[in-house]
Amino acid sequence: MRTRLLAATLTAFAAVSLAACSSSGPGSGTSTAAAGSPTSAAAGTPSASGSGTVASPTASAPASTPAPADGSPGVPGSPGSPGATAPAKPAPPTDAGMPGKPGADLTGKLVAALDAIDPAIVGGKPDQAMDRARTQCQSMYQFPKDKAKLVDLANQRFTSPDHPQGFGPDKAAKINDALHATLCPPPA
């Protein structure tokens, strides 16, 4: 019976604290919800004795509990409290793994490496080849261990009018090797 009463009291206190935190504006320092108000979660719940009496959340909850602005451990749900959940891991940026626009010397090295595989890969458009290479580097960053997927993506990205379906899996694998050697960071 004590455990249920304690649980009901703590639930009511948490509900009132959350209501106080959410209803008070930033910097106002006042609470519009009073502890023990009839709108709290535990009000109207029967006690453990089964007699139909209502447990009062005001028995152990203070009349007013202003929420500290610093998020100290005393506020339920604050980062330092025992029941708080860990913050979500931020998503990586959309350009994660994409190298910056390289200078003329690095562009020349990449064009030479791609021309060694097949001159039609660059096809006289070094800027377009560099954009495709940078995007492929991003895929290499996202899928470092999936060689088959990387070959397929390179075959889709590096196309020409004479090779609209790509240059095939062998040349696509060589393109990936050339990108690792010149532009993309080594696989993790």
Side-chain angles (χ1 to χ4, degrees):
M1 182 169 146
R2 276 185 159 171
T3 305
R4 289 184 185 174
L5 182 59
L6 179 61
T9 303
L10 290 176
T11 302
F13 180 69
V16 170
S17 295
L18 287 174
C21 290
S22 65
S23 66
S24 64
S28 67
T30 61
S31 173
T32 57
S37 66
T39 60
S40 68
T45 57
S47 68
S49 65
S51 65
T53 60
V54 176
S56 171
T58 58
S60 63
S64 171
T65 309
D70 64 352
S72 62
V75 178
S78 68
S81 67
T85 58
K89 182 177 179 183
T94 57
D95 62 349
M98 183 178 286
K101 293 209 181 226
D105 58 334
L106 188 55
T107 301
K109 286 180 184 178
L110 178 66
V111 168
L114 294 176
D115 280 344
I117 299 168
D118 190 329
I121 295 172
V122 176
K125 299 178 182 177
D127 290 336
Q128 184 182 38
M130 183 55 68
D131 288 340
R132 291 175 178 176
R134 291 176 62 225
T135 306
Q136 184 68 13
C137 287
Q138 185 176 25
S139 295
M140 290 175 172
Y141 176 83
Q142 292 171 340
F143 311 105
K145 297 184 190 311
D146 195 348
K147 301 291 184 200
K149 182 173 189 133
L150 293 174
V151 166
D152 184 49
L153 288 172
N155 202 33
Q156 292 174 27
R157 284 195 178 109
F158 292 90
T159 59
S160 72
D162 295 335
H163 300 92
Q165 301 298 318
F167 290 88
D170 292 335
K171 287 186 180 179
K174 290 179 182 178
I175 290 171
N176 285 338
D177 292 340
L179 295 179
H180 275 302
T182 57
L183 180 66
C184 305

PDB file of all heavy atoms in Angstrom, residues 65-88:
ATOM      1  N   THR A  65       7.023  24.564  -7.063  1.00  0.00           N
ATOM      2  CA  THR A  65       8.410  24.212  -7.321  1.00  0.00           C
ATOM      3  C   THR A  65       8.846  24.892  -8.613  1.00  0.00           C
ATOM      4  O   THR A  65       8.597  24.381  -9.695  1.00  0.00           O
ATOM      5  CB  THR A  65       8.580  22.680  -7.484  1.00  0.00           C
ATOM      6  OG1 THR A  65       7.975  22.041  -6.371  1.00  0.00           O
ATOM      7  CG2 THR A  65      10.029  22.283  -7.593  1.00  0.00           C
ATOM      8  N   PRO A  66       9.451  26.076  -8.513  1.00  0.00           N
ATOM      9  CA  PRO A  66       9.906  26.717  -9.747  1.00  0.00           C
ATOM     10  C   PRO A  66      11.064  25.915 -10.354  1.00  0.00           C
ATOM     11  O   PRO A  66      11.898  25.378  -9.637  1.00  0.00           O
ATOM     12  CB  PRO A  66      10.357  28.104  -9.308  1.00  0.00           C
ATOM     13  CG  PRO A  66      10.601  27.990  -7.846  1.00  0.00           C
ATOM     14  CD  PRO A  66       9.728  26.883  -7.348  1.00  0.00           C
ATOM     15  N   ALA A  67      11.071  25.823 -11.662  1.00  0.00           N
ATOM     16  CA  ALA A  67      12.108  25.061 -12.353  1.00  0.00           C
ATOM     17  C   ALA A  67      13.362  25.910 -12.486  1.00  0.00           C
ATOM     18  O   ALA A  67      13.306  27.035 -12.951  1.00  0.00           O
ATOM     19  CB  ALA A  67      11.616  24.671 -13.742  1.00  0.00           C
ATOM     20  N   PRO A  68      14.518  25.369 -12.040  1.00  0.00           N
ATOM     21  CA  PRO A  68      15.756  26.113 -12.206  1.00  0.00           C
ATOM     22  C   PRO A  68      16.082  26.255 -13.692  1.00  0.00           C
ATOM     23  O   PRO A  68      15.897  25.324 -14.468  1.00  0.00           O
ATOM     24  CB  PRO A  68      16.818  25.260 -11.512  1.00  0.00           C
ATOM     25  CG  PRO A  68      16.089  24.186 -10.787  1.00  0.00           C
ATOM     26  CD  PRO A  68      14.712  24.140 -11.313  1.00  0.00           C
ATOM     27  N   ALA A  69      16.551  27.412 -14.092  1.00  0.00           N
ATOM     28  CA  ALA A  69      16.850  27.669 -15.495  1.00  0.00           C
ATOM     29  C   ALA A  69      18.107  26.945 -15.964  1.00  0.00           C
ATOM     30  O   ALA A  69      18.310  26.762 -17.143  1.00  0.00           O
ATOM     31  CB  ALA A  69      17.009  29.171 -15.719  1.00  0.00           C
ATOM     32  N   ASP A  70      18.955  26.527 -15.035  1.00  0.00           N
ATOM     33  CA  ASP A  70      20.217  25.904 -15.441  1.00  0.00           C
ATOM     34  C   ASP A  70      20.084  24.415 -15.709  1.00  0.00           C
ATOM     35  O   ASP A  70      21.052  23.777 -16.083  1.00  0.00           O
ATOM     36  CB  ASP A  70      21.292  26.141 -14.379  1.00  0.00           C
ATOM     37  CG  ASP A  70      20.961  25.489 -13.044  1.00  0.00           C
ATOM     38  OD1 ASP A  70      19.836  24.976 -12.887  1.00  0.00           O
ATOM     39  OD2 ASP A  70      21.834  25.502 -12.168  1.00  0.00           O
ATOM     40  N   GLY A  71      18.904  23.812 -15.569  1.00  0.00           N
ATOM     41  CA  GLY A  71      18.717  22.388 -15.830  1.00  0.00           C
ATOM     42  C   GLY A  71      19.416  21.519 -14.813  1.00  0.00           C
ATOM     43  O   GLY A  71      19.930  20.456 -15.124  1.00  0.00           O
ATOM     44  N   SER A  72      19.434  21.946 -13.560  1.00  0.00           N
ATOM     45  CA  SER A  72      20.123  21.187 -12.525  1.00  0.00           C
ATOM     46  C   SER A  72      19.427  19.857 -12.277  1.00  0.00           C
ATOM     47  O   SER A  72      18.278  19.675 -12.645  1.00  0.00           O
ATOM     48  CB  SER A  72      20.185  22.015 -11.234  1.00  0.00           C
ATOM     49  OG  SER A  72      18.881  22.277 -10.772  1.00  0.00           O
ATOM     50  N   PRO A  73      20.099  18.906 -11.623  1.00  0.00           N
ATOM     51  CA  PRO A  73      19.546  17.578 -11.429  1.00  0.00           C
ATOM     52  C   PRO A  73      18.245  17.527 -10.646  1.00  0.00           C
ATOM     53  O   PRO A  73      17.587  16.509 -10.637  1.00  0.00           O
ATOM     54  CB  PRO A  73      20.646  16.830 -10.673  1.00  0.00           C
ATOM     55  CG  PRO A  73      21.892  17.579 -10.945  1.00  0.00           C
ATOM     56  CD  PRO A  73      21.475  19.002 -11.176  1.00  0.00           C
ATOM     57  N   GLY A  74      17.839  18.593  -9.998  1.00  0.00           N
ATOM     58  CA  GLY A  74      16.629  18.556  -9.199  1.00  0.00           C
ATOM     59  C   GLY A  74      15.357  18.536 -10.030  1.00  0.00           C
ATOM     60  O   GLY A  74      14.295  18.268  -9.534  1.00  0.00           O
ATOM     61  N   VAL A  75      15.427  18.807 -11.318  1.00  0.00           N
ATOM     62  CA  VAL A  75      14.246  18.866 -12.162  1.00  0.00           C
ATOM     63  C   VAL A  75      14.098  17.531 -12.891  1.00  0.00           C
ATOM     64  O   VAL A  75      15.009  17.109 -13.579  1.00  0.00           O
ATOM     65  CB  VAL A  75      14.365  20.017 -13.185  1.00  0.00           C
ATOM     66  CG1 VAL A  75      13.165  20.040 -14.102  1.00  0.00           C
ATOM     67  CG2 VAL A  75      14.511  21.335 -12.471  1.00  0.00           C
ATOM     68  N   PRO A  76      12.963  16.856 -12.724  1.00  0.00           N
ATOM     69  CA  PRO A  76      12.779  15.595 -13.438  1.00  0.00           C
ATOM     70  C   PRO A  76      12.860  15.816 -14.942  1.00  0.00           C
ATOM     71  O   PRO A  76      12.306  16.770 -15.460  1.00  0.00           O
ATOM     72  CB  PRO A  76      11.371  15.133 -13.034  1.00  0.00           C
ATOM     73  CG  PRO A  76      11.054  15.890 -11.788  1.00  0.00           C
ATOM     74  CD  PRO A  76      11.826  17.167 -11.863  1.00  0.00           C
ATOM     75  N   GLY A  77      13.590  14.943 -15.629  1.00  0.00           N
ATOM     76  CA  GLY A  77      13.730  15.034 -17.069  1.00  0.00           C
ATOM     77  C   GLY A  77      14.866  15.921 -17.519  1.00  0.00           C
ATOM     78  O   GLY A  77      15.135  16.033 -18.692  1.00  0.00           O
ATOM     79  N   SER A  78      15.551  16.586 -16.551  1.00  0.00           N
ATOM     80  CA  SER A  78      16.680  17.407 -16.960  1.00  0.00           C
ATOM     81  C   SER A  78      17.867  16.502 -17.262  1.00  0.00           C
ATOM     82  O   SER A  78      17.908  15.353 -16.835  1.00  0.00           O
ATOM     83  CB  SER A  78      17.030  18.416 -15.858  1.00  0.00           C
ATOM     84  OG  SER A  78      17.546  17.749 -14.730  1.00  0.00           O
ATOM     85  N   PRO A  79      18.848  16.991 -18.019  1.00  0.00           N
ATOM     86  CA  PRO A  79      19.951  16.128 -18.430  1.00  0.00           C
ATOM     87  C   PRO A  79      20.696  15.462 -17.282  1.00  0.00           C
ATOM     88  O   PRO A  79      21.195  14.373 -17.427  1.00  0.00           O
ATOM     89  CB  PRO A  79      20.882  17.082 -19.191  1.00  0.00           C
ATOM     90  CG  PRO A  79      20.012  18.213 -19.626  1.00  0.00           C
ATOM     91  CD  PRO A  79      18.942  18.313 -18.586  1.00  0.00           C
ATOM     92  N   GLY A  80      20.754  16.085 -16.113  1.00  0.00           N
ATOM     93  CA  GLY A  80      21.510  15.504 -15.012  1.00  0.00           C
ATOM     94  C   GLY A  80      20.696  14.587 -14.117  1.00  0.00           C
ATOM     95  O   GLY A  80      21.215  13.984 -13.200  1.00  0.00           O
ATOM     96  N   SER A  81      19.379  14.492 -14.341  1.00  0.00           N
ATOM     97  CA  SER A  81      18.565  13.679 -13.456  1.00  0.00           C
ATOM     98  C   SER A  81      18.706  12.203 -13.791  1.00  0.00           C
ATOM     99  O   SER A  81      18.996  11.847 -14.931  1.00  0.00           O
ATOM    100  CB  SER A  81      17.101  14.107 -13.532  1.00  0.00           C
ATOM    101  OG  SER A  81      16.565  13.807 -14.800  1.00  0.00           O
ATOM    102  N   PRO A  82      18.494  11.333 -12.817  1.00  0.00           N
ATOM    103  CA  PRO A  82      18.697   9.904 -13.039  1.00  0.00           C
ATOM    104  C   PRO A  82      17.777   9.312 -14.094  1.00  0.00           C
ATOM    105  O   PRO A  82      18.151   8.402 -14.786  1.00  0.00           O
ATOM    106  CB  PRO A  82      18.414   9.269 -11.677  1.00  0.00           C
ATOM    107  CG  PRO A  82      18.416  10.380 -10.698  1.00  0.00           C
ATOM    108  CD  PRO A  82      18.159  11.633 -11.443  1.00  0.00           C
ATOM    109  N   GLY A  83      16.570   9.818 -14.280  1.00  0.00           N
ATOM    110  CA  GLY A  83      15.637   9.231 -15.222  1.00  0.00           C
ATOM    111  C   GLY A  83      15.700   9.861 -16.604  1.00  0.00           C
ATOM    112  O   GLY A  83      14.905   9.553 -17.466  1.00  0.00           O
ATOM    113  N   ALA A  84      16.641  10.775 -16.849  1.00  0.00           N
ATOM    114  CA  ALA A  84      16.714  11.465 -18.125  1.00  0.00           C
ATOM    115  C   ALA A  84      17.258  10.542 -19.205  1.00  0.00           C
ATOM    116  O   ALA A  84      18.101   9.702 -18.951  1.00  0.00           O
ATOM    117  CB  ALA A  84      17.602  12.697 -18.001  1.00  0.00           C
ATOM    118  N   THR A  85      16.756  10.726 -20.402  1.00  0.00           N
ATOM    119  CA  THR A  85      17.268   9.958 -21.523  1.00  0.00           C
ATOM    120  C   THR A  85      18.435  10.701 -22.143  1.00  0.00           C
ATOM    121  O   THR A  85      18.515  11.925 -22.059  1.00  0.00           O
ATOM    122  CB  THR A  85      16.173   9.757 -22.587  1.00  0.00           C
ATOM    123  OG1 THR A  85      15.716  11.044 -23.015  1.00  0.00           O
ATOM    124  CG2 THR A  85      15.008   8.953 -22.047  1.00  0.00           C
ATOM    125  N   ALA A  86      19.320   9.949 -22.772  1.00  0.00           N
ATOM    126  CA  ALA A  86      20.478  10.554 -23.402  1.00  0.00           C
ATOM    127  C   ALA A  86      20.025  11.326 -24.634  1.00  0.00           C
ATOM    128  O   ALA A  86      19.085  10.924 -25.306  1.00  0.00           O
ATOM    129  CB  ALA A  86      21.473   9.474 -23.803  1.00  0.00           C
ATOM    130  N   PRO A  87      20.682  12.447 -24.928  1.00  0.00           N
ATOM    131  CA  PRO A  87      20.293  13.195 -26.120  1.00  0.00           C
ATOM    132  C   PRO A  87      20.568  12.373 -27.374  1.00  0.00           C
ATOM    133  O   PRO A  87      21.477  11.548 -27.401  1.00  0.00           O
ATOM    134  CB  PRO A  87      21.169  14.450 -26.061  1.00  0.00           C
ATOM    135  CG  PRO A  87      22.287  14.115 -25.141  1.00  0.00           C
ATOM    136  CD  PRO A  87      21.771  13.060 -24.208  1.00  0.00           C
ATOM    137  N   ALA A  88      19.768  12.595 -28.382  1.00  0.00           N
ATOM    138  CA  ALA A  88      19.918  11.840 -29.632  1.00  0.00           C
ATOM    139  C   ALA A  88      21.237  12.203 -30.301  1.00  0.00           C
ATOM    140  O   ALA A  88      21.679  13.347 -30.239  1.00  0.00           O
ATOM    141  CB  ALA A  88      18.761  12.151 -30.564  1.00  0.00           C
TER     142      ALA A  88
END
